[in-house]
Amino acid sequence: MNVGVQITAVALPCLLLSETAHSSLGRWIFKPLASLGFLVAALAYLPNHVPSSNAAMLNLTSVSDIPRAIAASGGALGLATTYVAELKHIIFNAAPTIVAGASPAAATAAGAVVHTTYTKAMMVAFVLGAIGDVLLIPKRGFLPGLTSFLAGHAAFMVAFTFHGQDVAPRQKGLGFIVAMAAVVGPWLLPKIKNKIMRGAVIAYMMVISGMVMTACGSINSGREYLPERLLGAIMFFLSDLFVARQHFVHKTVLNKWIGLPLYYIAQILLASTLRGEVPLSR
């Protein structure tokens, strides 16, 4: 597990406990932290990322590795300092390459990495997802958060399309979406009385459906890590059903305990697909 995955793995249970306790402070601490985790995970998975000397120390594969890491770091404070140093290394070394890649000619001239459209669109989607997570924390932030996620799903759809599409599996994805819409539409839409909100939800359903369909279409595109892409897209779709159930149908902490793990695991799975990308140049 890279550092970002570890951050989400620790923050997610704390977030679920905060939701159970209806702790606003817990939400404001652990939800952004869990979202930071998948952002950092995506950056750490970038093909040009070179781990720092601290990375081996933070390569935890199980709970039993934690005492070893603490001892190797000189105590819990030392381990925390190591994590901060690694986060700084990832954010300030990997993230700028995405920005520099916006101008391929300049990046090539400087000998820098030129990332694929897939990588850049995926990173935009992760950023929009993290923003949406924060916007959804206050009660009045549902519509802005939904808008941010809608844009994020559109970015995912762009990434999957540029990654390559195969017509046959994409048609199967369309069949799945049509079947789900036949069930979800009559269940959800009559419960949304506000016309603006109903229109926003319909638009959102169309975009996330497009994301799942293009994820299905990328199955036979001849690239690696396709199962993670498809599984992540479907889990994202399912997690949103629990968000909708919480907001429009029936409020219960069970929605959070099912929906949030589905969502964060989906983001981590989608982030892991960046391992299969090869920079255009160096």
Side-chain angles (χ1 to χ4, degrees):
M1 293 190 295
N2 69 33
V3 176
V5 177
Q6 293 177 44
I7 292 173
T8 298
V10 171
L12 177 56
C14 296
L15 174 59
L16 292 173
L17 292 174
S18 299
E19 293 289 355
T20 303
H22 302 289
S23 170
S24 179
L25 178 61
R27 292 188 190 103
W28 279 104
I29 293 174
F30 295 114
K31 196 168 190 181
L33 193 59
S35 302
L36 174 66
F38 65 69
L39 275 174
V40 171
L43 289 170
Y45 280 130
L46 288 179
N48 65 294
H49 172 61
V50 179
S52 72
S53 58
N54 300 317
M57 189 181 300
L58 302 178
N59 186 25
L60 309 179
T61 58
S62 66
V63 175
S64 60
D65 289 334
I66 296 177
R68 172 189 58 79
I70 292 176
S73 304
L77 181 60
L79 182 61
T81 302
T82 302
Y83 269 103
V84 171
E86 185 64 18
L87 284 173
K88 181 180 177 181
H89 171 74
I90 292 172
I91 292 172
F92 288 96
N93 287 276
T97 67
I98 298 292
V99 179
S103 176
T108 302
V113 169
V114 178
H115 288 288
T116 62
T117 301
Y118 178 83
T119 297
K120 289 183 280 190
M122 290 290 282
M123 289 306 307
V124 169
F126 293 133
V127 170
L128 288 168
I131 293 172
D133 286 334
V134 175
L135 291 174
L136 286 176
I137 296 176
K139 292 182 179 179
R140 295 184 178 181
F142 184 80
L143 188 56
L146 182 145
T147 303
S148 184
F149 274 107
L150 186 151
H153 289 311
F156 278 128
M157 189 161 52
V158 169
F160 300 159
T161 300
F162 273 91
H163 195 272
Q165 292 288 297
D166 188 279
V167 175
R170 189 172 60 193
Q171 288 177 339
K172 293 179 181 179
L174 177 60
F176 169 79
I177 290 303
V178 170
M180 291 298 296
V183 175
V184 174
W187 165 71
L188 179 62
L189 295 179
K191 296 176 176 62
I192 307 175
K193 307 304 180 184
N194 184 288
K195 292 184 178 180
I196 295 177
M197 183 64 73
R198 187 185 304 157
V201 169
I202 291 173
Y204 185 89
M205 290 172 62
M206 293 175 65
V207 173
I208 193 172
S209 296
M211 183 194 80
V212 174
M213 188 175 68
T214 52
C216 290
S218 68
I219 280 290
N220 295 326
S221 62
R223 307 282 283 279
E224 296 181 332
Y225 305 106
L226 294 176
E228 287 91 334
R229 183 179 304 110
L230 178 57
L231 182 58
I234 292 175
M235 290 178 71
F236 211 140
F237 182 91
L238 295 176
S239 73
D240 281 341
L241 293 181
F242 288 95
V243 174
R245 186 173 187 266
Q246 176 72 11
H247 197 81
F248 300 113
V249 182
H250 178 57
K251 294 185 183 296
T252 170
V253 72
L254 184 63
N255 292 327
K256 303 293 182 69
W257 277 83
I258 299 175
L260 286 173
L262 281 172
Y263 166 69
Y264 282 107
I265 293 172
Q267 291 281 41
I268 292 294
L269 286 172
L270 291 169
S272 73
T273 65
L274 295 178
R275 292 177 296 173
E277 289 302 291
V278 178
L280 298 178
S281 64
R282 289 188 182 278

